[in-house]
Structure formats: C-alpha cells, structure tokens
Amino acid sequence: MGRLPRWLKVAYSVYVAILVPAYWVAYTPWNFLYFCDIAMLATAFALWLESPLVASTQTIAIAVPQLLWVVDLLSRLVAGVHVTGVTAYMLDEHLPFSLRLLSSFHGWLPFLLLWLTWRLGYDRRALAVQSGIAVAVIFVSYVLAPGPPPSPSDPHAAVNINYVYGLEDDRPQSWMAPRLWVLSVLAVNVVGFYVPTHLVLRRWFPRAL
C-alpha cells in the first residue's frame, strides 16, 4: 500500500480540477507562473507519485512566504491591519466569493506540504533543484509574462508575476535598475526563503530513502 491515503489524493485532485479553470478565466494562464500556483499544481504530482523530491522542492519554495500569507490574513481579520498586504485580494468584494474561497489554498497548502515532506522524507537535493526552478521561473516571469499595470478592461489579470517588476501591480518599482531588482528577487527567494527552510528540514525532518 502507498504511504499516502487515497482519499487525500482524490480530494486534492478534485480541488485542483475546479481551481484551474476558474483561475484560468479570472486571472489568465500567466497566473500559474506564481511560485504558489506552481506548488499547488506540483503537489498533485507529489501526492500521486508519492515523490519526496517533488514534495520537498515545493515545501522549500512556499513554506516561508505562504506562512507570511497566513500571518497577513490573520492580522487583517483580527486586528484590521495588513502586515505585508499580500492578502488584500481576499477581502476584495469585486472578486467573487467562490474565487476567494478557492484561493484559501495559500493558507493550508504549506501545512499540507510540510506534512507530506515529513511523511515521505526530506530529499536533500531539493535546495539545488528548487533554486534551478526559481532561476527559470523568474526569467520567464520577467522576459515573457506581462508587466504592470493590468489592462483597465481586465483589472484582475495576472501581471508582475513573482514581483519581478516591484512590489506593486500598478507600476514598476523605481528603486533600482530593473535587472538588479530581478536579481534581488531571486536572492530573496533562494537565500531568504529556500536556504533557511532547507536547513530546518534537513535538521528536523526524516531523510528520504
């Protein structure tokens, strides 16, 4: 028998099958270049393949930023203020409630991935693999994906994927040269998010066989 329950695999697959077309229409296919959305799709493969490497790479990719997402939403709900502002769309009444409900995966997916990585074991190749994925994704996000601002006719369309143009979606940043900013985004992900998560998982989680 597999190490993961079949009901979880089926339930997650149904969720993804509902979310993907909804996001495709609402945000355009570019939205699936976000690291969180890549993790959402890749987790389906991690579940069915019971792959420690896939689970480990995606845990490294989103554990820290998505836990910040949780903190930001809870801060807004409890204290009425955003810590980072990344969850402002969750309370945007211009977006259908059903779409915002689907977006709740940002809150529970990091915990699911942490559990998967614990259950399957942490694959220590994950840091190198995910760092390579990050280089490719950020390159495509900057070179091919649309930059800010979104079109007035489609204000919710995905732009500024993975913040490669700045922290705001309505205009590019003006703090530094654009390419230097892109390198900074890559450094924040790899050094600020991936390396600390890798060290914690390597130290405290079972090793993948």
Side-chain angles (χ1 to χ4, degrees):
M1 292 183 63
R3 288 175 287 176
L4 303 176
R6 181 172 292 274
W7 68 263
L8 176 60
K9 299 174 181 180
V10 173
Y12 190 88
S13 299
V14 170
Y15 173 83
V16 170
I18 295 171
L19 182 145
V20 167
Y23 265 37
W24 187 291
V25 172
Y27 300 128
T28 77
W30 288 114
N31 198 82
F32 296 107
L33 265 182
Y34 278 110
F35 287 118
C36 51
D37 290 81
I38 292 172
M40 178 267 298
L41 296 172
T43 298
F45 291 95
L47 284 165
W48 284 103
L49 299 175
E50 300 194 355
S51 169
L53 180 58
V54 176
S56 298
T57 57
Q58 299 314 305
T59 301
I60 279 182
I62 71 161
V64 173
Q66 294 309 116
L67 289 175
L68 290 174
W69 188 97
V70 173
V71 170
D72 186 75
L73 182 60
L74 289 177
S75 175
R76 176 62 178 83
L77 294 175
V78 173
V81 295
H82 286 291
V83 175
T84 65
V86 295
T87 64
Y89 69 95
M90 290 294 288
L91 301 175
D92 184 352
E93 295 184 355
H94 294 96
L95 289 172
F97 177 75
S98 59
L99 194 62
R100 287 180 281 155
L101 186 62
L102 286 172
S103 294
S104 66
F105 80 87
H106 294 85
W108 52 259
L109 184 57
F111 299 101
L112 174 60
L113 280 167
L114 285 167
W115 177 80
L116 285 177
T117 303
W118 176 267
R119 185 73 177 265
L120 299 173
Y122 177 59
D123 191 317
R124 298 187 180 192
R125 298 173 294 172
L127 176 60
V129 172
Q130 180 56 35
S131 296
I133 292 172
V135 171
V137 169
I138 288 175
F139 176 80
V140 173
S141 298
Y142 182 69
V143 174
L144 299 179
S151 168
S153 63
D154 193 5
H156 298 300
V159 298
N160 190 26
I161 311 298
N162 295 310
Y163 305 103
V164 293
Y165 286 94
L167 299 178
E168 304 291 337
D169 287 346
D170 59 349
R171 62 188 181 277
Q173 61 82 30
S174 57
W175 301 348
M176 61 184 73
R179 292 182 181 179
L180 182 58
W181 175 268
V182 173
L183 290 175
S184 300
V185 171
L186 179 61
V188 167
N189 277 277
V190 175
V191 179
F193 298 156
Y194 302 171
V195 171
T197 307
H198 166 75
L199 295 175
V200 170
L201 297 178
R202 187 179 66 177
R203 174 67 177 84
W204 295 106
F205 278 49
R207 186 170 186 168
L209 299 178

